[in-house]
Structures are given as C-alpha cells and as structure tokens.
Amino acid sequence: MELAQRKRILLFPLPLQGHINPMLQLANILHLKGFSITVIHTTFNSLDPSRFPHFTFHSISDGLSAAEASTKDVIALLSLLDVKCVAPFQECLARLLSDDGEEPVACLISDAILHFTSAVAKCFELPRMVLRTGGVSSFLAFAAFPVLQQKGYLLDQDSRLQELVPELPPLRVKDLPLIKTNNPETLYQLVEDMVKEAKSSSGLIWNSFEELEKPALTTLVHDFPIPIFHVGPFHKYFPACSSSLMPHDQTCISWLDKQESNSVIYVSFGSIAAMSDKEYLEIALGLANSQHPFLWVIRPGMIHGSDWIESLPNDYLEMLDGRGHIVKWAPQQEVLAHRAVGAFWTHNGWNSTLESICEGIPMVCMPCFTDQMVNARYVTHVWRVGVQLENGLKRAQIQRVIKRVMVEKEGKEMKERAAHLKEMVSKCLQQGGSSYKSLESLVSYIISC
Ligand code: UDP
C-alpha cells in the first residue's frame, strides 16, 4: 500500500461517545491500510492523543460555555457546535493544508452531523467524505423528513402512534427518529442540512454491512448517486480501540467469569440516555425479580436528581447476594463477547445494536430517541433478534420480557437468528466478503482523490 502511505486523511468526529468510537475505529482501519491519520477534535469531550500515538491530533476551540456544554438538550448542543466550530475549523484546515512538511492530504472524513464542514472544505477545494455513524435504514427515515412532515407524521403524533408509516415499512409513527427538544424546527433544519450535505459529499461511509441492510442500501444507492462504502462493523477489524471518554470498569469481566454461560442479562443505555428515579426503581426491581444474574451500567448523572446509585433501596445489592453487579461504565464489546452474557437490554444506539449483533446476543429493546427507535423496530421486526419493552416501564412487564428472551422458545429462536447474523458478520469481513470488498474500493477511491 505504498501510495496510501504518502497520503494523509483528516478525520473530524462529532464529540459524542457514539460518534467518536466509530470514527476512531475507521481511523485505525485506514491507518492499517497505510494512510497517515490526523484527527481534528473539539475541546468539548476532547480526545486523549496518548492513546493513539500513531495519529496526529489537532484540538479546536468550540467556544461552548460550561452551561452550553452541559445542556440536556442534545439538539441545542449539536446546533451550537455546528455554528461555533465553523471559524476554528476553517483556521485549522488552513494550517493543516499549508503544512509542507506533512504528506499531501487526500480528503476530509467528517461526521455527517457536522454539516458545516462541507462549505469549509469547498473553500479549500478539499474532497469531503462523510461518515454516518448510524444505520442506513434510520438515515433513510431522516431523509424522508420532508415527506413525513408534509403528511403530518411528525406533529401531533399522540393519536397516531401505532399507525404504520407506508413510506417506511415496518416503521410505525412512534418509531420515527424524533427527540424531545425545546425547538423542533432546529431538529428539522439539522436533519435537512445533514442529509443535503451528505448527498453533495464525495462519498458516504457506513458502519454497517450489506447483508444486514440490503434493501435500505439499494434505496440509498438509488437516491444518493455518490460513492457509497459499507465497511462495517468497524470494531471487528481489531481488538477494541480505546476511544472511551470514561474509564472502563474491568471488575465486570472477573464477575462475568464466575457466572454460568448464557445466564447474564447485560443492561446498558449508552452514553446519553437518562431516566427518572421512578423508572430506575422499576428497572432495579424488575431485574431483581427476574432471578437472572445481571450486569448493569449506571452512568453518574444518568438518574435525574441523583449523583449515582444512592436512590437504590439500601439493602438492594445485599438482597441479591452477588446476583447483580453495577458499574459506571463497562468494556461493552468485551462484555458482549463474554460466554456468560445471554441477552442485552439496550437503548438501541447503533453501536450497541451492531455490537450485540456481532456477538449473536438477542436484545431487550428500550429505545429512547432519534435513530434508536428505528433500530429497535428493525431488531424486533426485520432481524427478529429482540423484543421491545413498550408502554411504560413496569417491574412485572420487565420480568415478563426478560423471561421471553432468556427462557422461552421465542428467545431460543431469537438466539438462533442472532447466531446466524454473527456468522454473516464474519463472512462479510473475510477476503471476498461484502465489507472486505467495499473497504478495498474505499482505499482505492481515497488514493485517487
Ligand atoms: N459503551 C461502553 N461502555 C458502556 C456503555 C457503552 O464502552 O458501559 C460504548 C458502546 O460499546 C458503544 C458506545 O459506548 O460503542 C455507545 O454508542 P451507542 O451508539 O450504542 O449509543 P449512544 O451512547 O450514542 O447513545
């Protein structure tokens, strides 16, 4: 890969955990293929260069105030980043592109949500490729927002939640990728800009694989006539890369080592989702009553009004007598690959969904917002490797759903289908497989940029 060695790629991740991980994984893949890597990152959720000594890092000031950086309104945060990062990113590109000592820059790979990078890259005549860190199927739901808006599916949803959306089967109105925000118009604008600037980019890269999302990819290729590369699942190319913003608690692995095979339910709702203390208590009691061992990730601040787990009943963990293990952050990929894990209770972020599929683990789905809703619907109704918890969180219902996935025939069938998907993952990455070939095309394409 001599040619690649003489080219540098600039990567700009959105500074949220679920976006940083796949971008850094992609950086590792491209580095393995011989490219030099420069990562541009914001001061908000900044990255630790010492974990990636083989990359060059450039930090740009995003100018977020402490209050702005800690907002719970993700859409407000994203739209601020899309405004405040423009000038610092422009200055950074000017510096990087005028550096004679470095290899020539082939292209920028930007997170799709950082749509402003399109105009800036154009000023420098720099090819801009886009990494969309979610699935293809949910992206098509975002791309359909103008139609959905026109047909009234996005507003006044309450009376129509169960209605099927004929334009996006098998989605119902309640599965559309929305999120609670103070300003829905900002969300619509963000989605419109993301889709428009993805469409006008030099190429779209996906952390997905053909066999998983074939119909969606066919539609995408038709509607987005630009080079498309589906090279996922990224994290399977090498052992877990450490782009975690929080330290992994390794005690979960020694705890899992002591459990029986396929016996544990792993519970994690990703890096952003939060809940009320009422919901949290129902989860705690539902898990306790299920009689299954469980490993539960509770991030500090995840429960409204609590620092961590202080609102759990005093004797909760003692009462379980070692059957439950709670951590602040887990080495999730390692956990899902552990023989003791039998099911994953997840919020269905795309990374978590894909990581579960890669290990053949059936899911209890509890999507919270945006693409998670679409992912959950695909898990339950297309790939059929999970059950969705719906209509509020109640301990009895939780117990029932866990039983369906962990014990009943239905769960065993899900496990078989999940095992089949796992096999597909390993095939798509092998020489001649769909992701293998797509990666080869991506490398040749970048070399030719
Ligand atoms: N993750 C982790 N430890 C945890 C929980 C999550 O390392 O305890 C990782 C997980 O492996 C995934 C990412 O954080 O790569 C979460 O991304 P996802 O898209 O699932 O959800 P988000 O955090 O964006 O809602």
Side-chain angles (χ1 to χ4, degrees), residues 1-9 29-38 54 56 101-106 443-444 446-448:
M1 203 50 69
E2 232 180 86
L3 268 173
Q5 263 159 8
R6 284 190 261 123
K7 293 225 172 186
R8 177 166 291 274
I9 304 174
I29 295 169
L30 293 172
H31 183 262
L32 220 61
K33 291 288 177 189
F35 293 99
S36 299
I37 298 294
T38 293
H54 47 310
T56 308
E102 299 269 332
E103 306 86 342
V105 173
V443 170
S444 312
I446 296 177
I447 290 171
S448 73

Side-chain angles (χ1 to χ4, degrees), residues 17-18 21 248 266 268 270-272 297 329-330 332 347 349-352 355 372:
Q17 187 72 76
N21 285 359
H248 286 145
Y266 169 58
S268 170
S271 61
I272 301 171
V297 176
W329 196 242
Q332 179 162 301
H347 71 309
W350 182 246
N351 296 291
S352 295
E355 288 162 13
Q372 298 160 17

Side-chain angles (χ1 to χ4, degrees), residues 23 52 152 258 323 342 347 413 432 445:
M23 186 65 95
F52 299 90
K258 292 187 208 114
R323 193 163 54 77
H347 71 309
E413 288 166 359
Y445 181 71

Side-chain angles (χ1 to χ4, degrees), residues 326-397:
I326 296 179
V327 294
K328 291 180 178 166
W329 196 242
Q332 179 162 301
Q333 291 162 16
E334 216 182 320
V335 166
L336 288 168
H338 197 286
R339 53 142 196 94
V341 173
F344 182 13
W345 181 355
T346 170
H347 71 309
N348 287 113
W350 182 246
N351 296 291
S352 295
T353 304
L354 204 55
E355 288 162 13
S356 202
I357 284 173
C358 285
E359 303 307 334
I361 302 291
M363 288 167 251
V364 171
C365 304
M366 193 180 79
C368 302
F369 44 72
T370 61
D371 66 327
Q372 298 160 17
M373 264 96 79
V374 180
N375 303 337
R377 186 68 172 168
Y378 273 71
V379 167
T380 56
H381 284 73
V382 178
W383 307 314
R384 295 166 62 227
V385 291
V387 177
Q388 187 163 345
L389 255 173
E390 291 188 276
N391 311 320
L393 265 179
K394 291 277 168 283
R395 65 195 79 168
Q397 186 211 6

